[in-house]
Structure formats: C-alpha cells, structure tokens
C-alpha cells in the first residue's frame, strides 16, 4: 500500500469510464477509500471502490446533496479526481455546432464547476487535499475542427487554476494538478500511476503525460 494515500477519501468523478476505472482501482489497491461517482448505476457496479454514487454532476443541487452526504458519512474528502468529459467536433469551423458546444460545456466545464464548488472546502481542510483534471494538448494547439473542444478544455484549466489560487491564498496544503494528454486511449494506467503519485510528492500544477511516448 501507498501509506500516504492509505485511508484517504477520494472522489473519482466519471468513475465508469476506462480512465476512471483504472484510477479507482489503483487508489483502492493503495488503501484509499474511493467514492466512485457516475451517472449510470449499472456501469458503476464493477468499479473497484468502497462506495458508489449515482449523481448528475451537471445539476449543482444534486452535487451539493452528494457532497453533504459524503461529508456526513466520511467526515470530508481528501481528493477529487475529475474525469468527466467527452468529444464532439470535426468538419472545420463551420462544424462547431451549438449542440456540440452545449454538450462539451456541460460535461467538461459545468461538471467541474459544480464538483469543485461542492468539495473545495473539504479539500482545503485536508492536510493533503488533491484536485486533478485531465486536459488536452489541443487546448494549447487548437484546430478549427476542434475549436469547441479546445475552448472548453482551456476554460476548465482556467477554472482549476482559480481554485488552486484560492487554496494558496487561504494557506491550505491542498494542491491542484492538470494532467495533459493528446489522448487517454492506452494511457489509462499511466494516468492512474500519476494520480497515485499526487500523495507521495508535492504535485506539480501541470504534468504532460505524453512525454517519452
């Protein structure tokens, strides 16, 4: 077990995705108490976690209720790993539709805003609070066909930096990290290892997982 994460309460949002499953399994194996959160109970059934919660993370009231129940039962959280996302795009600038933008905005940014607002105080109160998201190399090198996606990802990075600044200004030991990848396909294990390492060393704010690949 990783003694520094053992016993920590970590919320994994988007836990039924391939990356969420890998992260949840890695944290659980290291002794963390993982709370797996997703929108589909059936897809959460076989996620390796101490607790599984169904929640529409686009609904702030629902997220606040979730946070309060976890706080009441667990006494707070030490980590939030936000892995909710998705892809829509293609067909140049003309193909950047409003429907695609709404989809990406809700999944990438709204869910992040809701979860961080709900859990920020718990993370700040922890002696090793950790917040992490996954962004894309496209945020810094956008193309017309992925303009909606890149914009949503860059907005998420900006939001996370603001949360991190709040931690610093309050004197909290909590830290935030942006993992950057060109694609998560085939890198789920790499991400899981990187998340686990957040509790074994002082985390950097931005970590590029594509390096050396």
């Amino acid at each position: 077990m990783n003694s520094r994460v053992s016993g920590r309460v970590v919320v994994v949002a988007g836990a039924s995705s391939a990356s969420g499953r890998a992260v949840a399994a890695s944290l659980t194996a290291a002794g963390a108490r993982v709370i797996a959160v997703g929108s589909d109970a059936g897809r959460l059934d076989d996620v390796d976690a101490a607790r599984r919660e169904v929640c529409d993370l686009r609904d702030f009231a629902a997220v606040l209720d979730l946070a309060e129940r976890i706080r009441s039962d667990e006494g707070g959280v030490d980590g939030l790993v936000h892995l909710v996302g998705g892809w829509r795009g293609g067909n140049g600038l003309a193909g950047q539709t409003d429907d695609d933008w709404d989809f990406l905005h809700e999944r990438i940014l709204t869910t992040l805003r809701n979860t961080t607002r709900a859990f920020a105080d718990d993370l700040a109160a922890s002696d090793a609070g950790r917040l992490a998201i996954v962004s894309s190399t496209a945020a810094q090198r956008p193309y017309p066909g992925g303009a909606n996606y890149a914009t949503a990802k860059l907005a998420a990075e900006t939001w996370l930096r603001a949360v991190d600044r709040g931690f610093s200004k309050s004197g909290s030991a909590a830290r935030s990290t942006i993992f950057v990848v060109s694609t998560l396909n085939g890198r789920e294990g790499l991400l899981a290892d990187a998340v686990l390492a957040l509790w074994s060393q002082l985390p950097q704010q931005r970590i590029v997982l594509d390096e050396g690949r």
Side-chain angles (χ1 to χ4, degrees):
M1 288 188 180
N2 180 328
S3 61
R4 297 191 182 184
V5 76
S6 181
R8 299 286 184 184
V9 179
V10 183
V11 174
V12 179
S16 62
S17 65
S19 57
R21 290 171 184 275
V23 168
S26 179
L27 287 168
T28 297
R33 181 167 173 79
V34 174
I35 301 175
V37 182
S39 59
D40 186 321
R43 294 184 62 198
L44 284 173
D45 278 346
D46 59 351
V47 175
D48 195 352
R51 177 171 175 173
R52 299 165 188 84
E53 293 282 350
V54 176
C55 183
D56 182 356
L57 297 179
R58 300 169 301 177
D59 181 345
F60 187 45
V63 179
L64 285 176
D65 179 69
L66 172 67
E68 182 55 38
R69 286 189 283 108
I70 292 174
R71 192 173 298 118
S72 176
D73 296 342
E74 311 287 347
V77 304
D78 302 291
L80 170 61
V81 184
H82 183 275
L83 301 173
V84 185
W87 160 259
R88 293 278 185 89
N91 299 317
L93 199 61
Q96 305 306 291
T97 68
D98 290 345
D99 285 345
D100 287 351
W101 170 251
D102 290 343
F103 172 86
L104 293 166
H105 185 274
E106 278 194 337
R107 291 177 63 86
I108 294 172
L109 188 58
T110 299
T111 59
L112 177 63
R113 291 182 65 249
N114 289 346
T115 52
T116 50
R117 286 184 292 163
F119 289 106
D121 287 347
D122 291 323
L123 295 173
S126 171
D127 62 355
R130 298 291 184 261
L131 167 62
I133 66 170
V134 174
S135 189
S136 170
T137 54
Q140 301 298 325
R141 299 193 298 275
Y143 290 92
N148 277 340
Y149 176 76
T151 300
K153 282 293 191 182
L154 190 57
E157 290 192 22
T158 301
W159 180 269
L160 187 107
R161 288 192 180 95
V163 175
D164 193 72
R165 183 64 62 86
F167 291 154
S168 297
K169 287 178 67 66
S170 69
S172 170
R175 295 291 184 272
S176 300
T177 296
I178 302 166
F179 295 113
V180 183
V181 296
S182 57
T183 177
L184 270 175
N185 291 337
R187 292 178 170 86
E188 294 87 356
L190 188 64
L191 173 64
D193 290 344
V195 168
L196 194 62
L198 294 177
W199 280 271
S200 63
Q201 58 194 26
L202 187 64
Q204 304 172 47
Q205 189 175 80
R206 188 177 182 86
I207 299 175
V208 180
L209 295 182
D210 283 356
E211 288 180 342
R213 293 296 297 263

